[in-house]
Amino acid sequence: MQEDYIKLIFGLKLKQIRTDKNLSLFGLSKLSGLSKSYLNEIENGKKYPKPDKIAILSEKLDVPYDQMVSLKLDKNLAPIGNLLKSKILKEIPLELFGIKESTLIDIVANAPVKVNAFINTIIEIAQNYNFSRESFFLASVRSFQQSNNNYFDDLEQSVLRFAKAYQINLEKILSSKELEEILIEEYGYKINGDELSKFEALGSLRSVFIPKSKTLLLTDGIDEAQRTFIYAKEIAYNYLETKERLFTFPWIKFDTFDQVLNNLYASYFAGALVIPKDRLTKQLIGIFEKETFDADLFLEAINAFNASPESFYQRLTNILPKEFNIQNLFFLRFSHKANSDRYYLKKELHLSHQHSPHANETDEHYCRRWVSIKMLKDIRKGRKEHEFDMQISNYVSDGMKYLVFASATKDPFKEDYYRSISIGLLINKQLERKVKFLEDPKIVTRNVGVTCERCAITDCKDRKVPPIALEKSAKNQKIEKIVEELNQRFGS
């Protein structure tokens, strides 16, 4: 344990013992002969007393010396002890969120009982919703993206410097061959494209990097766009001189928060290299300036880059807030298995605030009127490799409207699985200024909810289950009203 944490644990114990004995700091000072200011610094984790001072406190408080210096906390403070002993405060770069570790320690020291209750609450929620350490780290990274409007100018500039240094023409479609040559010639990589496919258990992995020999193992199922993105991420790790990184794509596990954060940076760099900002911005201007929506032009923009539809939609979340000041948006990725009626929201991002469509971890049924769900039905029935559609989603319960673009494709790494990607833009004055086709009568507007269980729409033919959550809430409100009436009737 770090010295600061040892000081804090001793201070917590001393404060608890003093409080249990109904002693004030002034009283303990008189009893022990130690100054009040010195005792206050001990309790706040600022100082650790020397053995002779601990012996005095032990004697005057009638607590064994060994118990005083033990790092074990009693049941009431045990969760705080576990938090301090864990690496979590070191793994998460608190400075990213404007928090100093010393400030956090002060909060724990000054209100241990309240902090303990808070920690227990978080733990209980995490257990009930199967919230793992990985989930916590990923949520932290997502919050970091959102707080920066998912735009990182230093990475954008790094991409421009890299392109100039290696003579990559960002006005043309980038090929995997160009990046493979750089990996081999500049960074000493060995590329193996058939080893992973020999292991059935590795079916979900697209790449594995072996750092000792600088060997990049690829599965033979990847297409040109996926190969290009993998190469671009490897270049990012090297060009940005990343020390802590993940070695598989997609990730299997991670040991530190820095690995997760650096994975974000490498993915961002790769996206910015494959889909350059200036080219995409010009294409979006051409789409937005039309009085009617041109679906062919939008699909042409997707196909203008050596990237998957998902990478394109992800890149929109970088460019729209920065170049168009469209900052109220969400990104969703769904997964769906053929012959199943369940749809799983695997990834989401919300900029500016939490938007209406969001993940639900209580096994409820997502609204079947979402274009994200419709696309999954279409790709399952049709023969196309890529289904695209759009709609205006009107969330009746909160009065919010979104312009939503959605694409669906087969999952190349899971048999009989499909995925949809969508981006929703909040319809407000800013969007109306930037997007000229919002009044296009051909764009379908649909009243939607979040989940069937919480949806108030009464005439929905797509509903899978009754609005159970709303019915329960209405019942409770009725009970509360009756109880209130009884209080007024018999209380006077």
Side-chain angles (χ1 to χ4, degrees):
M1 283 183 71
Q2 288 205 348
E3 185 180 350
D4 287 346
Y5 297 166
I6 295 174
K7 290 178 185 176
L8 182 54
I9 284 181
F10 185 90
L12 287 170
K13 292 184 75 169
L14 178 60
K15 192 171 190 174
Q16 185 182 40
I17 293 168
R18 174 179 64 77
T19 305
D20 289 345
K21 293 182 178 294
N22 293 318
L23 278 171
S24 64
L25 268 177
F26 181 83
L28 181 58
S29 175
K30 286 190 69 176
L31 184 66
S32 64
L34 304 175
S35 73
K36 180 183 172 183
S37 60
Y38 177 65
L39 291 170
N40 186 53
E41 286 185 304
I42 293 174
E43 289 192 355
N44 285 322
K46 300 288 196 267
K47 289 186 177 179
Y48 191 88
K50 293 181 179 179
D52 60 324
K53 301 293 192 298
I54 297 175
I56 293 171
L57 290 169
S58 171
E59 178 187 349
K60 299 300 182 183
L61 292 171
D62 194 24
V63 175
Y65 184 97
D66 290 345
Q67 184 179 331
M68 292 283 292
V69 298
S70 169
L71 296 178
K72 186 177 180 181
L73 292 165
D74 68 16
K75 185 177 180 180
N76 290 335
L77 295 175
I80 294 177
N82 293 335
L83 176 71
L84 298 175
K85 290 176 186 177
S86 73
K87 296 179 181 178
I88 195 164
L89 294 182
K90 283 296 173 190
E91 289 177 338
I92 299 177
L94 296 169
E95 65 274 7
L96 285 179
F97 305 100
I99 300 172
K100 292 182 179 180
E101 189 178 335
S102 59
T103 304
L104 199 60
I105 290 175
D106 283 344
I107 292 171
V108 176
N110 290 322
V113 176
K114 292 180 181 179
V115 174
N116 177 49
F118 173 74
I119 293 169
N120 276 330
T121 301
I122 296 299
I123 291 171
E124 188 173 334
I125 292 172
Q127 289 172 340
N128 289 339
Y129 287 88
N130 193 27
F131 196 76
S132 63
R133 175 174 172 267
E134 287 82 3
S135 299
F136 179 73
F137 281 170
L138 291 171
S140 297
V141 166
R142 190 163 60 246
S143 296
F144 177 57
Q145 288 177 266
Q146 292 166 356
S147 65
N148 286 278
N149 273 333
N150 203 28
Y151 183 84
F152 300 95
D153 191 62
D154 54 338
L155 293 174
E156 298 281 350
Q157 297 304 318
S158 292
V159 167
L160 295 178
R161 287 193 296 270
F162 171 81
K164 183 178 180 180
Y166 290 89
Q167 290 297 287
I168 291 176
N169 187 349
L170 295 179
E171 292 298 319
K172 294 183 178 180
I173 295 178
L174 183 66
S175 72
S176 65
K177 202 67 182 173
E178 290 179 80
L179 300 185
E180 183 177 283
E181 185 178 4
I182 294 171
L183 283 174
I184 294 172
E185 297 296 331
E186 183 72 10
Y187 298 115
Y189 270 51
K190 300 172 187 174
I191 312 290
N192 185 315
D194 55 20
E195 188 66 26
L196 287 188
S197 305
K198 296 177 183 177
F199 303 91
E200 187 177 347
L202 301 183
S204 63
L205 292 185
R206 303 174 200 181
S207 68
V208 176
F209 179 63
I210 313 298
K212 191 172 183 180
S213 61
K214 284 197 169 183
T215 301
L216 182 63
L217 305 175
L218 302 172
T219 182
D220 59 7
I222 59 174
D223 59 25
E224 168 64 9
Q226 292 161 346
R227 184 184 296 270
T228 302
F229 185 79
I230 291 169
Y231 286 170
K233 274 191 73 173
E234 290 300 321
I235 284 174
Y237 280 131
N238 286 275
Y239 186 74
L240 299 175
E241 299 181 347
T242 304
K243 302 302 180 187
E244 290 199 57
R245 56 160 292 177
L246 300 174
F247 297 104
T248 64
F249 178 63
W251 61 270
I252 302 173
K253 68 165 189 171
F254 39 77
D255 300 313
T256 68
F257 182 82
D258 280 345
Q259 289 177 336
V260 187
L261 187 62
N262 289 334
N263 180 64
L264 166 67
Y265 290 153
S267 297
Y268 190 104
F269 183 101
L273 181 61
V274 176
I275 307 176
K277 180 178 70 172
D278 290 347
R279 278 178 59 205
L280 178 56
T281 300
K282 290 176 185 176
Q283 289 177 313
L284 291 175
I285 290 172
I287 294 169
F288 292 164
E289 285 186 342
K290 285 183 170 290
E291 295 293 330
T292 58
F293 177 68
D294 191 333
D296 291 336
L297 196 60
F298 190 85
L299 291 173
E300 186 181 304
I302 294 178
N303 296 325
F305 305 96
N306 188 8
S308 67
E310 179 170 352
S311 293
F312 180 83
Y313 281 70
Q314 287 267 26
R315 190 66 173 134
L316 290 179
T317 68
N318 307 139
I319 303 305
L320 291 175
K322 177 64 177 178
E323 299 300 317
F324 297 86
N325 200 26
I326 298 173
Q327 298 183 1
N328 286 278
L329 60 84
F330 65 80
F331 169 91
L332 306 177
R333 184 182 73 199
F334 275 93
S335 176
H336 170 66
K337 186 177 182 181
N339 302 320
S340 165
D341 197 36
R342 306 298 293 185
Y343 300 87
Y344 300 95
L345 184 48
K346 293 293 187 179
K347 190 172 184 179
E348 64 177 328
L349 182 73
H350 297 257
L351 298 188
S352 289
H353 59 86
Q354 182 82 356
H355 296 279
S356 297
H358 54 79
N360 184 289
E361 299 296 336
T362 56
D363 203 31
E364 294 183 11
H365 296 73
Y366 291 109
C367 179
R368 274 19 181 198
R369 291 182 170 185
W370 285 357
V371 68
S372 311
I373 305 297
K374 176 184 178 295
M375 286 296 88
L376 287 169
K377 294 177 180 177
D378 290 348
I379 192 72
R380 191 178 67 187
K381 295 176 182 176
R383 296 181 179 179
K384 293 182 181 179
E385 292 184 359
H386 175 202
E387 289 279 358
F388 167 78
D389 204 352
M390 67 176 301
Q391 73 180 38
I392 291 176
S393 293
N394 177 33
Y395 284 83
V396 179
S397 60
D398 58 19
M400 298 293 187
K401 284 187 178 181
Y402 294 88
L403 176 67
V404 186
F405 304 92
S407 289
T409 62
K410 288 184 177 180
D411 189 325
F413 299 98
K414 287 185 178 181
E415 189 70 25
D416 294 328
Y417 271 84
Y418 303 88
R419 57 190 177 187
S420 74
I421 317 100
S422 54
I423 185 169
L425 315 178
L426 179 66
I427 298 178
N428 55 18
K429 294 295 182 183
Q430 178 62 13
L431 193 70
E432 290 170 357
R433 280 194 289 268
K434 295 293 181 179
V435 179
K436 304 301 183 185
F437 59 74
L438 283 178
E439 299 298 325
D440 186 349
K442 293 181 181 178
I443 301 176
V444 175
T445 298
R446 305 195 78 190
N447 291 333
V448 300
V450 179
T451 65
C452 293
E453 287 82 349
R454 300 173 189 277
C455 182
I457 299 174
T458 56
D459 60 346
C460 180
K461 296 178 181 179
D462 301 308
R463 181 185 291 281
K464 302 304 296 183
V465 295
I468 302 167
L470 287 185
E471 290 171 355
K472 183 179 179 181
S473 176
K475 183 179 179 180
N476 287 339
Q477 287 177 5
K478 186 176 181 180
I479 292 172
E480 288 174 11
K481 186 176 180 180
I482 293 172
V483 170
E484 186 178 338
E485 290 173 353
L486 290 172
N487 273 324
Q488 292 176 352
R489 182 179 172 187
F490 294 102
S492 56

